[in-house]
Amino acid sequence: MKFQPIDGNALATRFRPLAWFAAAFLIIESVVRLALAVKAGANVSSLGVSLVYIFATGFLYDIVTFVYFAWPLLIYLWVVPTRTGRHKGWHRWLLYVASLLVCLLLIAAGLHFIYGIPHRSLWPLTVLFFYFLPLCAFNYASKTGQRLLYMLAALLLFTMLLIGTAEWLFWDEFGTRFNFIAVDYLVYTHAVLENIRESYPLGRWMSLILLVTLTVVALTRRGLYTLDDRSHFAGRSLVAAAWLVLTVLGTGLVNAQMKDRHTNPYVNALAGNGIYQFFAALRANRLDYPGFYATLPDDKAFAIVHDMLQTPDATYLSADPSDITRAIRADGAERHLNVVLISVESLSGEYLAHFGNRDGLTPHIDALADQGLFFTQLYANGTRTVRGLEALSLSVPPTPGDSLLRQQNNRGLFSLANIFNARGYQSDFVYGGYGYFDNMNDFFSHNGYNAIDRDAVPKGMPIHSENVWGIADEDLYTLAMARMDASKAQGKPFFLHIMTTSNHRPYTFPEGRIDGAQGDRPSAVKYTDWAIGDFIRRMRKKPYFDDTVFVISADHCANSAGKSAIPVNMYHIPLIIYAPKYLPPQHIDRMMAQIDIPPTILGLLHFSYRSRFFGYDIMRLAPGKERAFPATYQKLGFLQSNSLTILSPKQRIEQVSPNFQTGDTTPLPNADALAIDQAIASYQVAAELFKKGRMKWRREDDTPVQPEGSLARP
């Protein structure tokens, strides 16, 4: 075989379109970064210094991301033949196809095992297969070759502009760049696209992006046109190999946390690259606690948790130090009252007049707060609905990465519904949307609940309004009341957990209910409040109203971004427990975790039961033991009255003093060793119990527990 020398000029000519794409990529990313910085406004402190850090660090992340993103174009420039576009002989075609299949299978395996992407979500790789398949069938310098190059460049540019627009929308909603929320939404593409379509003029925007794309390609096509008739596959393979080395180096030397050197999370977010952050979040969606976080010896961790969960009403039932099963003994006879637990979508504490809001958004909720037990210092587990549902059904600290609702082996867990079911209750989870979203139906139907969603709406039942996320709250309550009536017809008490949807973008609701514009968050909050007031009015007409306990709280706050890693003010949610026949009005001004709601409900009912909950009955808790677990998908918080301990990947530990009004933090001058140990132990033990299947409901958990006595609670 005759050796063909490598022609550097020919290679430079062939790969010149990469320079065109690099310029387009870096310009778009810089414009997006600038636009987001302007949108962040005052949240970016020390603007001059911060901008230098943002753009210098961001430029490095953009280059690394470009190396990944340019692979489709690079492969085109590498594979397409210079002169002849035909493989001679069927055996060469078979070899080419087999090579493609092997490469795609390796990519699929990497995405599945490294990033945890399920096999059913890897179908886009078939698009890549059919993209690469004909590349060897035509001449690079031919008209067909050049047209396909223009089309590929236009597709990449259109994708970049589309991603930039998506980043703007994501920042507008969540105050940060792509993160685990974007990863979660990717799984439910249809619902997300419908939400965007209902919230924004999607057709107009797509047309505008397409117009910009075609205009840019037309005006800059000279940067794409190359007349290459001299490069050889061997020389092009060296360029591809060098690009692969750059990719490997970028993967090994750069990570998503390297940019997080500023004290302001907004600055750190802007310094990153949205595409890079998305895939970093995708990989971090499966975080194994002991592999990423600070740990204690198991015996010490369990001893600390045992001590934390030792309350006046609790007695441990096993000598096994890794078993946290306790007998919870009430101080009176059980009251088998009906329970309606409403987790209101995105009901931030800041919306209530009781917490200083002067816009009159929640008059009905504020009135109920004055008529029932009103807990003023409740903090959510997380920033997504699944975290709230996890806390309210399982009473466990949030695990790093994905919620237990979406993890494997999450069936048959020790849940709040199981405790009610053991007493003859009908337990329902009633959701206004489709329960396939976030795996809600599967989780609740296999953990003691009947999963009732939008598909259960009877034919003929009036629907006053609906959008992609669900039916209007008033219609959801109508569906829930039908379930209550059915339960009572069978002579059963009921426990209903209702999850609302109206206070979610696109913020649509029935006309004529409130004074407010459609598509507006404050209006959606006002409608959500109106629907709760209407629900209570309708419930008062029911014969079982007096014997029903209404628990009104939130899944999480409306916003989660702040100037600190975990801005505690963005986790502050209300809790009202309303049962006028049994519970006189009272304000409880004690710190409370979202996971404390289930034990507190059971305590108010005077239930005596076996428990493996991590939560407390706040009404019987000794002063000084209060704590909460505000967390993101990676940063795990342990909140106390004067400190916030934050556990992060790479075994990092941070302790700060939080400002409960602004969410700002200042470093603690002296480390609180006990708080650090309690934080580590709480999260470590929760992760350990779930991983080893020790959160499961056991047959003996139905064993009756005798109360302390018959003295009624005051």
Side-chain angles (χ1 to χ4, degrees):
M1 178 182 293
K2 183 179 178 181
F3 175 76
Q4 296 175 326
I6 297 173
D7 189 333
N9 291 330
L11 290 179
T13 300
R14 166 63 79 107
F15 288 97
R16 190 172 67 185
L18 280 175
W20 176 91
F21 185 49
F25 185 95
L26 295 174
I27 289 172
I28 291 172
E29 288 300 316
S30 297
V31 170
V32 168
R33 185 170 290 109
L34 179 60
L36 296 181
V38 171
K39 189 171 183 63
N43 291 314
V44 181
S45 58
S46 304
L47 193 59
V49 176
S50 296
L51 281 179
V52 172
Y53 179 80
I54 287 169
F55 281 91
T57 306
F59 182 74
L60 296 177
Y61 273 97
D62 291 347
I63 291 176
V64 173
T65 307
F66 168 73
V67 171
Y68 295 127
F69 207 82
W71 266 104
L73 179 59
L74 179 92
I75 291 176
Y76 180 93
L77 299 173
W78 169 37
V79 172
V80 176
T82 300
R83 296 180 180 84
T84 178
R86 297 181 180 179
H87 275 304
K88 295 180 180 179
W90 60 268
H91 59 285
R92 292 193 176 185
W93 271 109
L94 285 179
L95 179 61
Y96 177 65
V97 172
S99 300
L100 279 180
L101 288 174
V102 170
C103 290
L104 291 177
L105 287 174
L106 289 174
I107 294 172
L111 291 173
H112 177 70
F113 291 108
I114 297 176
Y115 293 103
I117 300 178
H119 292 110
R120 65 179 181 276
S121 299
L122 294 173
W123 62 265
L125 291 179
T126 59
V127 178
L128 287 179
F129 174 78
F130 287 109
Y131 163 67
F132 292 130
L133 186 61
L135 291 187
C136 286
F138 52 83
N139 189 311
Y140 177 81
S142 67
K143 290 183 178 180
T144 300
Q146 288 296 300
R147 286 169 182 167
L148 287 173
L149 177 60
Y150 292 150
M151 290 173 59
L152 177 58
L155 178 62
L156 290 172
L157 182 61
F158 180 86
T159 303
M160 284 302 307
L161 292 171
L162 188 63
I163 291 173
T165 305
E167 280 208 73
W168 173 269
L169 298 179
F170 191 84
W171 187 285
D172 184 58
E173 181 74 12
F174 300 105
T176 188
R177 288 205 146 182
F178 290 150
N179 58 14
F180 71 103
I181 299 176
V183 172
D184 286 350
Y185 280 0
L186 181 68
V187 180
Y188 305 100
T189 309
H190 172 73
V192 174
L193 289 178
E194 282 297 303
N195 180 40
I196 294 173
R197 185 186 63 80
E198 292 176 355
S199 304
Y200 305 99
L202 186 60
R204 189 186 312 163
W205 287 4
M206 295 289 282
S207 299
L208 181 60
I209 293 172
L210 180 60
L211 178 62
V212 171
T213 298
L214 296 177
T215 301
V216 171
V217 171
L219 294 176
T220 62
R221 63 184 182 277
R222 287 185 176 274
L224 291 169
Y225 179 75
T226 57
L227 185 59
D228 172 30
D229 58 1
R230 291 181 296 141
S231 69
H232 301 287
F233 184 74
R236 299 197 301 271
S237 296
L238 290 178
V239 176
W243 206 267
L244 178 62
V245 171
L246 289 176
T247 304
V248 172
L249 288 175
T251 304
L253 300 178
V254 180
N255 61 64
Q257 289 75 43
M258 292 176 66
K259 62 178 174 39
D260 298 336
R261 300 180 182 276
H262 201 280
T263 56
N264 188 331
Y266 284 99
V267 173
N268 291 331
L270 291 167
N273 178 283
I275 301 170
Y276 187 95
Q277 293 303 120
F278 174 85
F279 284 98
L282 183 64
R283 185 173 185 177
N285 233 21
R286 289 173 42 178
L287 287 176
D288 184 49
Y289 182 90
F292 289 88
Y293 293 86
T295 59
L296 299 170
D298 281 349
D299 55 350
K300 182 177 180 179
F302 276 97
I304 291 172
V305 169
H306 266 244
D307 182 65
M308 293 174 68
L309 296 180
Q310 183 63 72
T311 55
D313 57 349
T315 304
Y316 281 100
L317 297 177
S318 172
D320 182 354
S322 65
D323 189 348
I324 63 171
T325 306
R326 298 151 346 261
I328 306 297
R329 303 182 189 278
D331 57 4
E334 292 191 358
R335 301 188 291 204
H336 289 185
L337 305 177
N338 309 304
V339 177
V340 178
L341 169 59
I342 306 173
S343 48
V344 181
E345 172 67 42
S346 304
L347 184 64
S348 303
E350 65 181 357
Y351 293 142
L352 274 65
H354 278 83
F355 296 126
N357 189 288
R358 298 182 179 180
D359 297 328
L361 300 179
T362 58
H364 299 95
I365 295 174
D366 282 307
L368 290 173
D370 289 330
Q371 299 166 21
L373 301 181
F374 181 40
F375 299 82
T376 62
Q377 297 184 46
L378 173 66
Y379 292 90
N381 265 25
T383 59
R384 289 222 49 224
T385 295
V386 284
R387 287 304 189 187
L389 297 180
E390 175 185 87
L392 294 172
S393 59
L394 303 178
S395 186
V396 295
T399 52
D402 217 344
S403 164
L404 297 187
L405 264 74
R406 292 160 49 92
Q407 292 198 27
Q408 296 179 352
N409 303 316
N410 65 353
R411 297 180 175 183
L413 302 179
F414 187 95
S415 74
L416 179 59
N418 285 327
I419 296 173
F420 281 109
N421 294 343
R423 288 155 176 79
Y425 279 69
Q426 173 181 297
S427 296
D428 293 341
F429 172 73
V430 187
Y431 177 53
Y434 293 115
Y436 76 89
F437 189 81
D438 274 338
N439 200 46
M440 285 188 248
N441 274 357
D442 185 83
F443 173 82
F444 282 102
S445 64
H446 290 92
N447 285 289
Y449 299 78
N450 300 309
I452 310 299
D453 70 352
R454 194 174 187 168
D455 283 330
V457 175
K459 291 183 178 180
M461 177 181 140
I463 300 297
H464 297 87
S465 177
E466 59 184 327
N467 57 41
V468 65
W469 293 115
I471 58 178
D473 284 358
E474 62 187 88
D475 300 321
L476 172 63
Y477 294 132
T478 299
L479 177 62
M481 291 170 72
R483 296 293 300 179
M484 299 177 205
D485 290 341
S487 178
K488 282 302 175 182
Q490 298 176 19
K492 292 182 177 182
F494 55 76
F495 163 54
L496 262 73
H497 182 165
I498 302 173
M499 181 67 229
T500 74
T501 61
S502 289
N503 191 28
H504 192 296
R505 191 181 294 278
Y507 310 130
T508 56
F509 45 85
E511 295 287 352
R513 301 297 192 258
I514 59 152
D515 294 328
Q518 296 282 349
D520 178 62
R521 165 78 85 175
S523 297
V525 175
K526 290 181 72 174
Y527 170 72
T528 295
D529 173 77
W530 178 90
I532 289 175
D534 177 68
F535 171 56
I536 297 297
R537 283 193 297 272
R538 287 191 282 161
M539 283 295 296
R540 286 197 177 101
K541 300 175 183 178
K542 296 291 185 180
Y544 47 80
F545 171 78
D546 282 344
D547 293 327
T548 301
V549 179
F550 299 89
V551 183
I552 302 171
S553 190
D555 53 354
H556 56 82
C557 283
N559 300 300
S560 59
K563 294 182 180 180
S564 58
I566 299 179
V568 296
N569 62 322
M570 298 297 183
Y571 290 78
H572 183 216
I573 57 176
L575 171 62
I576 300 164
I577 302 181
Y578 174 69
K581 182 177 177 180
Y582 295 94
L583 302 175
Q586 182 183 355
H587 282 209
I588 294 92
D589 299 318
R590 301 181 67 182
M591 180 182 290
M592 187 176 180
Q594 198 172 26
I595 67 172
D596 296 332
I597 294 178
T600 299
I601 294 172
L602 298 175
L604 291 169
L605 296 175
H606 295 181
F607 279 15
S608 296
Y609 60 99
R610 290 192 174 203
S611 174
R612 279 186 294 284
F613 289 156
F614 282 73
Y616 297 136
D617 175 358
I618 199 70
M619 305 299 285
R620 303 186 72 183
L621 184 66
K625 297 196 73 169
E626 301 90 346
R627 81 285 167 268
F629 297 93
T632 68
Y633 77 110
Q634 281 193 326
K635 294 184 180 295
L636 311 176
F638 184 77
L639 179 64
Q640 295 175 300
S641 60
N642 58 1
S643 70
L644 172 62
T645 304
I646 303 173
L647 310 179
S648 302
K650 296 190 175 181
Q651 292 76 42
R652 293 175 180 168
I653 302 173
E654 179 185 5
Q655 280 193 314
V656 295
S657 176
N659 184 313
F660 288 86
Q661 281 68 50
T662 67
D664 294 342
T665 59
T666 55
L668 279 184
N670 300 304
D672 184 341
L674 177 59
I676 291 175
D677 284 350
Q678 289 179 332
I680 295 172
S682 297
Y683 286 107
Q684 179 179 332
V685 168
E688 174 94 353
L689 291 178
F690 177 75
K691 183 178 181 180
K692 293 189 175 180
R694 304 194 66 177
M695 280 190 185
K696 299 287 186 180
W697 177 268
R698 306 169 190 167
R699 184 176 301 173
E700 60 268 26
D701 290 332
D702 281 337
T703 304
V705 174
Q706 296 302 313
E708 291 180 355
S710 58
L711 181 63
R713 184 189 298 259

